[in-house]
mmCIF file with all atom_site columns, all heavy atoms in Angstrom:
data_model
loop_
_atom_site.group_PDB
_atom_site.id
_atom_site.type_symbol
_atom_site.label_atom_id
_atom_site.label_alt_id
_atom_site.label_comp_id
_atom_site.label_asym_id
_atom_site.label_entity_id
_atom_site.label_seq_id
_atom_site.pdbx_PDB_ins_code
_atom_site.Cartn_x
_atom_site.Cartn_y
_atom_site.Cartn_z
_atom_site.occupancy
_atom_site.B_iso_or_equiv
_atom_site.pdbx_formal_charge
_atom_site.auth_seq_id
_atom_site.auth_comp_id
_atom_site.auth_asym_id
_atom_site.auth_atom_id
_atom_site.pdbx_PDB_model_num
ATOM 1   N N   . VAL A 1 31 ? -1.773  11.777 -3.943 1.00 97.00 ? 39 VAL A N   1
ATOM 2   C CA  . VAL A 1 31 ? -2.220  12.177 -2.587 1.00 97.00 ? 39 VAL A CA  1
ATOM 3   C C   . VAL A 1 31 ? -1.100  12.863 -1.822 1.00 97.00 ? 39 VAL A C   1
ATOM 4   O O   . VAL A 1 31 ? -1.344  13.905 -1.182 1.00 97.00 ? 39 VAL A O   1
ATOM 5   C CB  . VAL A 1 31 ? -2.775  10.968 -1.822 1.00 97.00 ? 39 VAL A CB  1
ATOM 6   C CG1 . VAL A 1 31 ? -2.972  11.284 -0.340 1.00 97.00 ? 39 VAL A CG1 1
ATOM 7   C CG2 . VAL A 1 31 ? -4.072  10.464 -2.424 1.00 97.00 ? 39 VAL A CG2 1
ATOM 8   N N   . VAL A 1 32 ? 0.073   12.344 -1.901 1.00 97.00 ? 40 VAL A N   1
ATOM 9   C CA  . VAL A 1 32 ? 1.221   12.965 -1.198 1.00 97.00 ? 40 VAL A CA  1
ATOM 10  C C   . VAL A 1 32 ? 1.516   14.327 -1.764 1.00 97.00 ? 40 VAL A C   1
ATOM 11  O O   . VAL A 1 32 ? 1.789   15.290 -1.008 1.00 97.00 ? 40 VAL A O   1
ATOM 12  C CB  . VAL A 1 32 ? 2.447   12.010 -1.263 1.00 97.00 ? 40 VAL A CB  1
ATOM 13  C CG1 . VAL A 1 32 ? 3.728   12.753 -0.862 1.00 97.00 ? 40 VAL A CG1 1
ATOM 14  C CG2 . VAL A 1 32 ? 2.251   10.803 -0.410 1.00 97.00 ? 40 VAL A CG2 1
ATOM 15  N N   . ASN A 1 33 ? 1.484   14.479 -3.085 1.00 97.00 ? 41 ASN A N   1
ATOM 16  C CA  . ASN A 1 33 ? 1.803   15.748 -3.677 1.00 97.00 ? 41 ASN A CA  1
ATOM 17  C C   . ASN A 1 33 ? 0.744   16.800 -3.345 1.00 97.00 ? 41 ASN A C   1
ATOM 18  O O   . ASN A 1 33 ? 1.046   17.985 -3.147 1.00 97.00 ? 41 ASN A O   1
ATOM 19  C CB  . ASN A 1 33 ? 1.938   15.624 -5.200 1.00 97.00 ? 41 ASN A CB  1
ATOM 20  C CG  . ASN A 1 33 ? 3.261   15.035 -5.581 1.00 97.00 ? 41 ASN A CG  1
ATOM 21  O OD1 . ASN A 1 33 ? 4.233   15.060 -4.836 1.00 97.00 ? 41 ASN A OD1 1
ATOM 22  N ND2 . ASN A 1 33 ? 3.318   14.434 -6.758 1.00 97.00 ? 41 ASN A ND2 1
ATOM 23  N N   . ILE A 1 34 ? -0.528  16.408 -3.291 1.00 96.00 ? 42 ILE A N   1
ATOM 24  C CA  . ILE A 1 34 ? -1.581  17.355 -2.908 1.00 96.00 ? 42 ILE A CA  1
ATOM 25  C C   . ILE A 1 34 ? -1.504  17.692 -1.431 1.00 96.00 ? 42 ILE A C   1
ATOM 26  O O   . ILE A 1 34 ? -1.661  18.849 -1.040 1.00 96.00 ? 42 ILE A O   1
ATOM 27  C CB  . ILE A 1 34 ? -2.974  16.792 -3.277 1.00 96.00 ? 42 ILE A CB  1
ATOM 28  C CG1 . ILE A 1 34 ? -3.117  16.715 -4.813 1.00 96.00 ? 42 ILE A CG1 1
ATOM 29  C CG2 . ILE A 1 34 ? -4.089  17.625 -2.690 1.00 96.00 ? 42 ILE A CG2 1
ATOM 30  C CD1 . ILE A 1 34 ? -4.389  16.065 -5.271 1.00 96.00 ? 42 ILE A CD1 1
ATOM 31  N N   . SER A 1 35 ? -1.225  16.696 -0.607 1.00 96.00 ? 43 SER A N   1
ATOM 32  C CA  . SER A 1 35 ? -1.121  16.938 0.841  1.00 96.00 ? 43 SER A CA  1
ATOM 33  C C   . SER A 1 35 ? 0.041   17.850 1.198  1.00 96.00 ? 43 SER A C   1
ATOM 34  O O   . SER A 1 35 ? -0.049  18.662 2.130  1.00 96.00 ? 43 SER A O   1
ATOM 35  C CB  . SER A 1 35 ? -0.970  15.610 1.589  1.00 96.00 ? 43 SER A CB  1
ATOM 36  O OG  . SER A 1 35 ? -2.094  14.825 1.448  1.00 96.00 ? 43 SER A OG  1
ATOM 37  N N   . SER A 1 36 ? 1.137   17.721 0.462  1.00 96.00 ? 44 SER A N   1
ATOM 38  C CA  . SER A 1 36 ? 2.307   18.579 0.749  1.00 96.00 ? 44 SER A CA  1
ATOM 39  C C   . SER A 1 36 ? 2.195   19.956 0.187  1.00 96.00 ? 44 SER A C   1
ATOM 40  O O   . SER A 1 36 ? 2.985   20.815 0.510  1.00 96.00 ? 44 SER A O   1
ATOM 41  C CB  . SER A 1 36 ? 3.566   17.876 0.239  1.00 96.00 ? 44 SER A CB  1
ATOM 42  O OG  . SER A 1 36 ? 3.558   17.849 -1.174 1.00 96.00 ? 44 SER A OG  1
ATOM 43  N N   . GLY A 1 37 ? 1.212   20.201 -0.676 1.00 94.00 ? 45 GLY A N   1
ATOM 44  C CA  . GLY A 1 37 ? 1.019   21.530 -1.222 1.00 94.00 ? 45 GLY A CA  1
ATOM 45  C C   . GLY A 1 37 ? 1.664   21.755 -2.571 1.00 94.00 ? 45 GLY A C   1
ATOM 46  O O   . GLY A 1 37 ? 1.633   22.869 -3.087 1.00 94.00 ? 45 GLY A O   1
ATOM 47  N N   . LYS A 1 38 ? 2.317   20.736 -3.125 1.00 96.00 ? 46 LYS A N   1
ATOM 48  C CA  . LYS A 1 38 ? 2.918   20.887 -4.441 1.00 96.00 ? 46 LYS A CA  1
ATOM 49  C C   . LYS A 1 38 ? 1.892   21.027 -5.534 1.00 96.00 ? 46 LYS A C   1
ATOM 50  O O   . LYS A 1 38 ? 2.111   21.733 -6.524 1.00 96.00 ? 46 LYS A O   1
ATOM 51  C CB  . LYS A 1 38 ? 3.819   19.682 -4.748 1.00 96.00 ? 46 LYS A CB  1
ATOM 52  C CG  . LYS A 1 38 ? 5.034   19.576 -3.922 1.00 96.00 ? 46 LYS A CG  1
ATOM 53  C CD  . LYS A 1 38 ? 5.861   18.382 -4.338 1.00 96.00 ? 46 LYS A CD  1
ATOM 54  C CE  . LYS A 1 38 ? 7.077   18.207 -3.449 1.00 96.00 ? 46 LYS A CE  1
ATOM 55  N NZ  . LYS A 1 38 ? 7.832   17.012 -3.806 1.00 96.00 ? 46 LYS A NZ  1
ATOM 56  N N   . TRP A 1 39 ? 0.768   20.356 -5.380 1.00 95.00 ? 47 TRP A N   1
ATOM 57  C CA  . TRP A 1 39 ? -0.333  20.406 -6.378 1.00 95.00 ? 47 TRP A CA  1
ATOM 58  C C   . TRP A 1 39 ? -1.556  20.992 -5.708 1.00 95.00 ? 47 TRP A C   1
ATOM 59  O O   . TRP A 1 39 ? -1.754  20.801 -4.508 1.00 95.00 ? 47 TRP A O   1
ATOM 60  C CB  . TRP A 1 39 ? -0.626  19.014 -6.910 1.00 95.00 ? 47 TRP A CB  1
ATOM 61  C CG  . TRP A 1 39 ? 0.454   18.412 -7.720 1.00 95.00 ? 47 TRP A CG  1
ATOM 62  C CD1 . TRP A 1 39 ? 1.646   18.993 -8.096 1.00 95.00 ? 47 TRP A CD1 1
ATOM 63  C CD2 . TRP A 1 39 ? 0.474   17.090 -8.271 1.00 95.00 ? 47 TRP A CD2 1
ATOM 64  N NE1 . TRP A 1 39 ? 2.345   18.105 -8.879 1.00 95.00 ? 47 TRP A NE1 1
ATOM 65  C CE2 . TRP A 1 39 ? 1.686   16.936 -8.980 1.00 95.00 ? 47 TRP A CE2 1
ATOM 66  C CE3 . TRP A 1 39 ? -0.395  16.047 -8.214 1.00 95.00 ? 47 TRP A CE3 1
ATOM 67  C CZ2 . TRP A 1 39 ? 2.008   15.782 -9.626 1.00 95.00 ? 47 TRP A CZ2 1
ATOM 68  C CZ3 . TRP A 1 39 ? -0.087  14.867 -8.877 1.00 95.00 ? 47 TRP A CZ3 1
ATOM 69  C CH2 . TRP A 1 39 ? 1.128   14.726 -9.564 1.00 95.00 ? 47 TRP A CH2 1
ATOM 70  N N   . PRO A 1 40 ? -2.392  21.647 -6.469 1.00 95.00 ? 48 PRO A N   1
ATOM 71  C CA  . PRO A 1 40 ? -3.656  22.201 -5.866 1.00 95.00 ? 48 PRO A CA  1
ATOM 72  C C   . PRO A 1 40 ? -4.660  21.086 -5.617 1.00 95.00 ? 48 PRO A C   1
ATOM 73  O O   . PRO A 1 40 ? -4.677  20.072 -6.315 1.00 95.00 ? 48 PRO A O   1
ATOM 74  C CB  . PRO A 1 40 ? -4.144  23.162 -6.943 1.00 95.00 ? 48 PRO A CB  1
ATOM 75  C CG  . PRO A 1 40 ? -3.582  22.649 -8.223 1.00 95.00 ? 48 PRO A CG  1
ATOM 76  C CD  . PRO A 1 40 ? -2.254  22.028 -7.884 1.00 95.00 ? 48 PRO A CD  1
ATOM 77  N N   . GLY A 1 41 ? -5.458  21.295 -4.620 1.00 92.00 ? 49 GLY A N   1
ATOM 78  C CA  . GLY A 1 41 ? -6.515  20.337 -4.295 1.00 92.00 ? 49 GLY A CA  1
ATOM 79  C C   . GLY A 1 41 ? -7.047  20.593 -2.901 1.00 92.00 ? 49 GLY A C   1
ATOM 80  O O   . GLY A 1 41 ? -6.320  21.052 -2.026 1.00 92.00 ? 49 GLY A O   1
ATOM 81  N N   . GLY A 1 42 ? -8.298  20.278 -2.700 1.00 92.00 ? 50 GLY A N   1
ATOM 82  C CA  . GLY A 1 42 ? -8.914  20.519 -1.423 1.00 92.00 ? 50 GLY A CA  1
ATOM 83  C C   . GLY A 1 42 ? -9.039  19.223 -0.607 1.00 92.00 ? 50 GLY A C   1
ATOM 84  O O   . GLY A 1 42 ? -8.590  18.142 -1.010 1.00 92.00 ? 50 GLY A O   1
ATOM 85  N N   . THR A 1 43 ? -9.655  19.374 0.532  1.00 94.00 ? 51 THR A N   1
ATOM 86  C CA  . THR A 1 43 ? -9.806  18.234 1.444  1.00 94.00 ? 51 THR A CA  1
ATOM 87  C C   . THR A 1 43 ? -10.837 17.239 0.886  1.00 94.00 ? 51 THR A C   1
ATOM 88  O O   . THR A 1 43 ? -10.634 16.037 1.104  1.00 94.00 ? 51 THR A O   1
ATOM 89  C CB  . THR A 1 43 ? -10.268 18.707 2.817  1.00 94.00 ? 51 THR A CB  1
ATOM 90  O OG1 . THR A 1 43 ? -11.453 19.471 2.710  1.00 94.00 ? 51 THR A OG1 1
ATOM 91  C CG2 . THR A 1 43 ? -9.175  19.569 3.471  1.00 94.00 ? 51 THR A CG2 1
ATOM 92  N N   . ALA A 1 44 ? -11.868 17.692 0.205  1.00 96.00 ? 52 ALA A N   1
ATOM 93  C CA  . ALA A 1 44 ? -12.824 16.768 -0.347 1.00 96.00 ? 52 ALA A CA  1
ATOM 94  C C   . ALA A 1 44 ? -12.200 15.912 -1.448 1.00 96.00 ? 52 ALA A C   1
ATOM 95  O O   . ALA A 1 44 ? -12.463 14.707 -1.547 1.00 96.00 ? 52 ALA A O   1
ATOM 96  C CB  . ALA A 1 44 ? -14.037 17.530 -0.928 1.00 96.00 ? 52 ALA A CB  1
ATOM 97  N N   . PHE A 1 45 ? -11.363 16.529 -2.269 1.00 95.00 ? 53 PHE A N   1
ATOM 98  C CA  . PHE A 1 45 ? -10.693 15.777 -3.336 1.00 95.00 ? 53 PHE A CA  1
ATOM 99  C C   . PHE A 1 45 ? -9.690  14.779 -2.734 1.00 95.00 ? 53 PHE A C   1
ATOM 100 O O   . PHE A 1 45 ? -9.572  13.646 -3.228 1.00 95.00 ? 53 PHE A O   1
ATOM 101 C CB  . PHE A 1 45 ? -9.982  16.746 -4.281 1.00 95.00 ? 53 PHE A CB  1
ATOM 102 C CG  . PHE A 1 45 ? -9.431  16.091 -5.526 1.00 95.00 ? 53 PHE A CG  1
ATOM 103 C CD1 . PHE A 1 45 ? -10.265 15.408 -6.379 1.00 95.00 ? 53 PHE A CD1 1
ATOM 104 C CD2 . PHE A 1 45 ? -8.074  16.117 -5.791 1.00 95.00 ? 53 PHE A CD2 1
ATOM 105 C CE1 . PHE A 1 45 ? -9.770  14.803 -7.517 1.00 95.00 ? 53 PHE A CE1 1
ATOM 106 C CE2 . PHE A 1 45 ? -7.579  15.507 -6.923 1.00 95.00 ? 53 PHE A CE2 1
ATOM 107 C CZ  . PHE A 1 45 ? -8.419  14.837 -7.787 1.00 95.00 ? 53 PHE A CZ  1
ATOM 108 N N   . LEU A 1 46 ? -9.017  15.172 -1.666 1.00 96.00 ? 54 LEU A N   1
ATOM 109 C CA  . LEU A 1 46 ? -8.091  14.246 -0.986 1.00 96.00 ? 54 LEU A CA  1
ATOM 110 C C   . LEU A 1 46 ? -8.872  13.081 -0.389 1.00 96.00 ? 54 LEU A C   1
ATOM 111 O O   . LEU A 1 46 ? -8.391  11.912 -0.435 1.00 96.00 ? 54 LEU A O   1
ATOM 112 C CB  . LEU A 1 46 ? -7.332  14.965 0.132  1.00 96.00 ? 54 LEU A CB  1
ATOM 113 C CG  . LEU A 1 46 ? -6.049  15.638 -0.290 1.00 96.00 ? 54 LEU A CG  1
ATOM 114 C CD1 . LEU A 1 46 ? -5.460  16.404 0.868  1.00 96.00 ? 54 LEU A CD1 1
ATOM 115 C CD2 . LEU A 1 46 ? -5.062  14.659 -0.853 1.00 96.00 ? 54 LEU A CD2 1
ATOM 116 N N   . PHE A 1 47 ? -10.027 13.343 0.181  1.00 97.00 ? 55 PHE A N   1
ATOM 117 C CA  . PHE A 1 47 ? -10.844 12.266 0.744  1.00 97.00 ? 55 PHE A CA  1
ATOM 118 C C   . PHE A 1 47 ? -11.243 11.315 -0.354 1.00 97.00 ? 55 PHE A C   1
ATOM 119 O O   . PHE A 1 47 ? -11.179 10.064 -0.191 1.00 97.00 ? 55 PHE A O   1
ATOM 120 C CB  . PHE A 1 47 ? -12.083 12.856 1.431  1.00 97.00 ? 55 PHE A CB  1
ATOM 121 C CG  . PHE A 1 47 ? -12.999 11.808 1.961  1.00 97.00 ? 55 PHE A CG  1
ATOM 122 C CD1 . PHE A 1 47 ? -12.672 11.058 3.069  1.00 97.00 ? 55 PHE A CD1 1
ATOM 123 C CD2 . PHE A 1 47 ? -14.218 11.565 1.329  1.00 97.00 ? 55 PHE A CD2 1
ATOM 124 C CE1 . PHE A 1 47 ? -13.514 10.085 3.577  1.00 97.00 ? 55 PHE A CE1 1
ATOM 125 C CE2 . PHE A 1 47 ? -15.066 10.585 1.803  1.00 97.00 ? 55 PHE A CE2 1
ATOM 126 C CZ  . PHE A 1 47 ? -14.721 9.843  2.952  1.00 97.00 ? 55 PHE A CZ  1
ATOM 127 N N   . TYR A 1 48 ? -11.686 11.852 -1.510 1.00 97.00 ? 56 TYR A N   1
ATOM 128 C CA  . TYR A 1 48 ? -12.082 11.015 -2.638 1.00 97.00 ? 56 TYR A CA  1
ATOM 129 C C   . TYR A 1 48 ? -10.899 10.154 -3.107 1.00 97.00 ? 56 TYR A C   1
ATOM 130 O O   . TYR A 1 48 ? -11.070 8.948  -3.357 1.00 97.00 ? 56 TYR A O   1
ATOM 131 C CB  . TYR A 1 48 ? -12.573 11.891 -3.788 1.00 97.00 ? 56 TYR A CB  1
ATOM 132 C CG  . TYR A 1 48 ? -12.704 11.166 -5.086 1.00 97.00 ? 56 TYR A CG  1
ATOM 133 C CD1 . TYR A 1 48 ? -13.733 10.265 -5.307 1.00 97.00 ? 56 TYR A CD1 1
ATOM 134 C CD2 . TYR A 1 48 ? -11.785 11.374 -6.111 1.00 97.00 ? 56 TYR A CD2 1
ATOM 135 C CE1 . TYR A 1 48 ? -13.837 9.565  -6.512 1.00 97.00 ? 56 TYR A CE1 1
ATOM 136 C CE2 . TYR A 1 48 ? -11.878 10.696 -7.308 1.00 97.00 ? 56 TYR A CE2 1
ATOM 137 C CZ  . TYR A 1 48 ? -12.912 9.783  -7.507 1.00 97.00 ? 56 TYR A CZ  1
ATOM 138 O OH  . TYR A 1 48 ? -12.998 9.135  -8.681 1.00 97.00 ? 56 TYR A OH  1
#
Side-chain angles (χ1 to χ4, degrees):
V39 168
V40 167
N41 284 339
I42 292 174
S43 296
S44 67
K46 290 181 183 177
W47 293 355
T51 56
F53 189 60
L54 274 176
F55 178 73
Y56 167 74

